[in-house]
Amino acid sequence: MPSADALAHAESLIRTVPDYPEPGVLFRDITPLLADAGALRAVIDALIEPFDGGFDVVAGVEARGFLLAGAAATVAGVGMVPVRKAGKLPRPAASVSYALEYGRATIEVHDDLAPGTRVLLVDDVLATGGTLAAAHELFAELGVVVVGTAVLMELEALGGRALVHDVHTVFTA
């Protein structure tokens, strides 16, 4: 487990950008954290620590979840599976549509994992929970077992935990 100082430093690197991508939104920019090797390693260790040895592959949700999932998979010595937005995979095997605040979205995944494979699902932010809940549904459809969900940051005021109950978070805002 990374030290409290290392995690405090990592958290200090996350910038809040007001009114992006639209007025009223506080965007959490993790780019400075990703550029700091020590901070990145600290958050990756914190993301996977509760699940250590209990998963066969890490799944990352597009797009910033890919970055964290790829690093987590490397540290854990396992593979990584991308959960993509609709139309980005050459041979999607499963897709799930879900509600957004203003409309609907769809995510897809290949069927490269054998039924029963244990997956750690990783994303950057838990906001309203729709995307992560849809990812859980995707893997269930394929017979893959999501053994845990880990996010870098939970935006508590948006209530995403109500849809994705058991989520390990490194930071909250």
Side-chain angles (χ1 to χ4, degrees), residues 17-28:
V17 181
D19 300 321
Y20 182 82
E22 59 186 56
V25 173
L26 295 175
F27 182 79
R28 301 308 200 264

Side-chain angles (χ1 to χ4, degrees), residues 51 125-133 136 149-173:
F51 311 100
V125 174
L126 171 60
T128 61
T131 305
L132 285 170
H136 276 261
T149 303
V151 297
L152 179 64
M153 178 175 284
E154 178 180 0
L155 305 178
E156 293 178 306
L158 297 179
R161 194 171 285 270
L163 283 180
V164 189
H165 306 284
D166 190 18
V167 179
H168 168 64
T169 62
V170 178
F171 306 120
T172 57

